Amino acid sequence: MEGHNTSSTDFILQGLLDRDDISGLLFSIISAIFFITLIANGAMILLTHVDAHLHTPMYFLLSHLSFIDMMYISTTVPKMLVDYLLGQKTISFVGCAAQHFLYITLAGAEFFLLGLMAYDRYVAICHPLRYPVLMSRRVCWATIAGSWFGGSFDGFLLTPITMSFSFCNSREINHFFCEAPAVLKLACADTALYQAAMYVCCVLMLLIPFCVVTASYAQILTAVHRMSSLEGRKKALATCSSHMTVVTLFYGAAIYTYMLPRSYHQPAQDKVFSVFYTILTPMLNPLIYSLRNKEVAGALKRALGKFKGT
């Protein structure tokens, strides 16, 4: 049936749910992760808007990180789940291009935003008296706009080139979504030059925010070491540890995917790492911030208390 409904320009996604023995279990797990991600990130956005204690630059940026994560997981997972239910694996050329563009844009926006959130922590700990000026609402909006601009620039630059190649007859993508390395394996033409350029672009997209994170936390650790108050040290480290956990999870998997030479890659391993930073990380981000942050936990208790009171 699928063969009759497939256009010559369509692609076939081999996906994650292609093993009959565990496909039902994987479907249930991924569905649960998807809905937990939407609920947890939605709750984080709601809390940062309704609780006055969270009306700070850090939580303003965090609410936008949650928004990006909700869109990020929605780029790949709903398509995968619907295809499993309908028993199909095809994706149109336009759909593949749109998925590639959204994925690159949202991933890039998150890379840059995580870097700028590290700068926010640096200002809060190292220059607390100047924090309201250096992280004003205008600066926060400029930070958000800069993150989206950086991600959109990569999306508009890489997507048209990736999708402009002629693809061979099989058109079977050994992946669960249209990620650039997997799509380029189908190209009939030599893509070595473009892949080298894409490698440089991705390295810059990763290294610029990573350098900001590294420089910010080097200054933070120095400042924390000089603090005389033990309580102040604990509070500073607790606040920063949540962000560093998120950065390590997201950047680590992305560095493996885009910075390691192709000789180190295997399709099965690539799928695992892609699952990690496209499906698991968006779910873990709000959980890490809420479980390891007393202010978020307190805001959640106050919101639940108001709900019970009504």
Side-chain angles (χ1 to χ4, degrees), residues 1-309:
M1 179 70 69
E2 185 176 321
H4 294 292
N5 295 328
T6 302
S7 167
S8 60
T9 61
D10 288 350
F11 294 97
I12 298 174
L13 295 170
Q14 292 189 6
L16 286 173
L17 308 175
D18 54 346
R19 288 184 54 182
D20 293 335
D21 54 338
I22 59 171
S23 60
L25 176 63
L26 285 176
F27 175 83
S28 301
I29 293 173
I30 294 173
S31 298
I33 290 173
F34 176 66
F35 288 111
I36 290 172
T37 300
L38 295 184
I39 294 170
N41 281 289
M44 183 68 74
I45 294 171
L46 182 64
L47 285 175
T48 56
H49 281 77
V50 301
D51 195 292
H53 295 83
L54 303 184
H55 290 174
T56 64
M58 183 180 105
Y59 294 107
F60 177 76
L61 298 178
L62 181 57
S63 68
H64 283 271
L65 177 65
S66 293
F67 176 70
I68 290 174
D69 281 336
M70 290 176 71
M71 294 185 63
Y72 192 42
I73 195 171
S74 298
T75 302
T76 57
V77 171
K79 166 69 176 169
M80 185 199 319
L81 298 179
V82 171
D83 282 355
Y84 175 79
L85 292 175
L86 298 179
Q88 64 183 27
K89 295 183 177 181
T90 59
I91 183 170
S92 67
F93 180 88
V94 174
C96 188
Q99 193 178 64
H100 181 275
F101 170 77
L102 291 172
Y103 160 74
I104 291 290
T105 298
L106 293 167
E110 184 152 344
F111 288 140
F112 290 119
L113 184 58
L114 287 172
L116 293 167
M117 287 174 70
Y119 172 75
D120 167 76
R121 292 297 81 210
Y122 157 72
V123 175
I125 293 171
C126 299
H127 302 284
L129 298 179
R130 301 176 62 194
Y131 184 70
V133 176
L134 294 177
M135 290 303 297
S136 64
R137 183 51 64 106
R138 180 179 295 180
V139 173
C140 288
W141 277 113
T143 297
I144 299 299
S147 300
W148 280 105
F149 174 80
S152 299
F153 178 80
D154 286 322
F156 280 115
L157 178 67
L158 297 177
T159 301
I161 302 175
T162 301
M163 304 306 296
S164 66
F165 288 100
S166 298
F167 297 101
C168 296
N169 293 329
S170 68
R171 303 182 78 87
E172 290 189 13
I173 302 174
N174 190 9
H175 215 307
F176 61 92
F177 71 102
C178 292
E179 191 172 25
V183 173
L184 289 174
K185 289 179 181 178
L186 305 182
C188 301
D190 183 12
T191 62
L193 180 61
Y194 169 60
Q195 291 200 55
M198 186 175 69
Y199 176 82
V200 172
C201 181
C202 292
V203 166
L204 291 175
M205 190 170 71
L206 284 166
L207 285 186
I208 292 175
F210 187 75
C211 288
V212 174
V213 171
T214 304
S216 297
Y217 277 98
Q219 295 292 325
I220 288 171
L221 290 175
T222 303
V224 169
H225 180 71
R226 293 174 181 170
M227 287 181 180
S228 57
S229 169
L230 181 62
E231 187 65 27
R233 287 186 183 183
K234 288 182 178 180
K235 185 176 180 181
L237 290 175
T239 303
C240 296
S241 62
S242 298
H243 182 255
M244 278 304 299
T245 304
V246 170
V247 167
T248 302
L249 291 173
F250 195 66
Y251 278 46
I255 286 171
Y256 167 85
T257 301
Y258 290 100
M259 292 183 65
L260 282 183
R262 293 182 65 184
S263 57
Y264 289 88
H265 286 262
Q266 297 293 332
Q269 292 177 348
D270 289 348
K271 286 184 183 181
V272 171
F273 276 90
S274 294
V275 165
F276 198 78
Y277 70 86
T278 60
I279 299 177
L280 289 179
T281 303
M283 179 191 70
L284 293 175
N285 284 353
L287 298 180
I288 290 169
Y289 277 106
S290 61
L291 293 175
R292 305 190 65 176
N293 191 304
K294 292 181 180 179
E295 292 178 331
V296 175
L300 182 59
K301 288 180 181 178
R302 287 189 292 272
L304 291 176
K306 291 180 180 178
F307 178 77
K308 289 180 180 178

